Amino acid sequence: MNSSVAAQIGPILPWLDLFGIAVFAATGALAATRHQQTIVTATFFALITGVGGGTVRDLLIGAPVFWVHDATVASLCLGMSAIVWITPQHWWSDRTFAWLDALGLAAYAAFGAAKSLGYGIPPVPAAVMGVVTACVGGIIRDVLAGEPSILMRPELYVTAAALTASLYVLLSQMGLPPYAAGLASAAAGFALRGAAMIWKWGLPAYRGGKN
């Protein structure tokens, strides 16, 4: 990791990134087990969900694909799939699944924006890369599981990722240290997603010009 990227990311955000990977990997394994799939399928789901968004981000910003060069990431995804596999199914309710997904969304969006800024990506595209980092893994998971995509959910989801990434970029441009910007933006995104789940907040749907 070059010095500019390390300076932008700081000491806290990599841990936020690993946390996001872990919870997304868990949601991937859960998607497989809910469909009564094998341990091999659950492991594949965990890996593809955990690294999917970050892989697309790194390819787009010209960075080395992170998990290919760090054995910790794949090991973490495999470990999360094993935990899901051996624990009682009632531990992993739909509500647990949703809250884990919200945590991963916020953590991953902040890190994705931070890494993009570190690679010299301008602020607006960097915020978009934060959204890509947070959402693409879940999209792949839902497509593979044959479930409605997260993009089609009525409650705020992508909007929460956009808030996290945009707020990180804004706070970073204002001179806040990476750890402060990361924690503040992730907390804001998680709070918005949590509120959307509890109170069913959503943006107005297109009605085709009907009154």
Side-chain angles (χ1 to χ4, degrees):
M1 187 180 298
N2 61 47
S3 58
S4 63
V5 177
Q8 180 61 57
I9 291 177
I12 301 296
L13 282 175
W15 293 103
L16 201 62
D17 179 45
L18 287 175
F19 178 79
I21 292 169
V23 295
F24 267 132
T27 68
L30 285 168
T33 57
R34 289 165 66 184
H35 287 273
Q36 305 297 308
Q37 297 297 311
T38 67
I39 181 63
V40 174
T41 304
T43 301
F44 176 77
F45 268 59
L47 181 63
I48 201 68
T49 307
V51 305
T55 298
V56 173
R57 174 204 63 221
D58 286 351
L59 291 172
L60 289 173
I61 68 175
V65 177
F66 69 110
W67 66 275
V68 176
H69 301 276
D70 184 358
T72 303
V73 176
S75 299
L76 178 60
C77 293
L78 299 182
M80 293 305 299
S81 68
I83 290 172
V84 170
W85 187 263
I86 65 175
T87 50
Q89 189 174 23
H90 68 266
W91 287 12
W92 307 102
S93 64
D94 289 346
R95 187 173 181 82
T96 302
F97 183 97
W99 283 104
L100 282 175
D101 193 72
L103 285 167
L105 180 83
Y108 228 11
F111 182 82
K115 185 171 184 179
S116 299
L117 287 175
Y119 271 85
I121 305 301
V124 173
V128 173
M129 287 301 99
V131 177
V132 167
T133 305
C135 296
V136 167
I139 292 170
I140 297 172
R141 175 198 66 212
D142 291 344
V143 169
L144 291 177
E147 297 179 353
S149 171
I150 56 175
L151 295 176
M152 305 302 290
R153 292 176 185 171
E155 318 97 46
L156 299 177
Y157 188 90
V158 177
T159 305
L163 172 65
T164 301
S166 300
L167 185 58
Y168 180 87
V169 169
L170 177 62
L171 294 176
S172 179
Q173 296 297 301
M174 292 172 60
L176 256 66
Y179 72 88
L183 292 176
S185 59
F190 176 70
L192 178 60
R193 176 60 185 150
M197 290 191 296
I198 293 170
W199 292 297
K200 307 301 181 184
W201 290 353
L203 296 175
Y206 175 68
R207 299 185 182 277
K210 297 179 180 179
N211 294 327

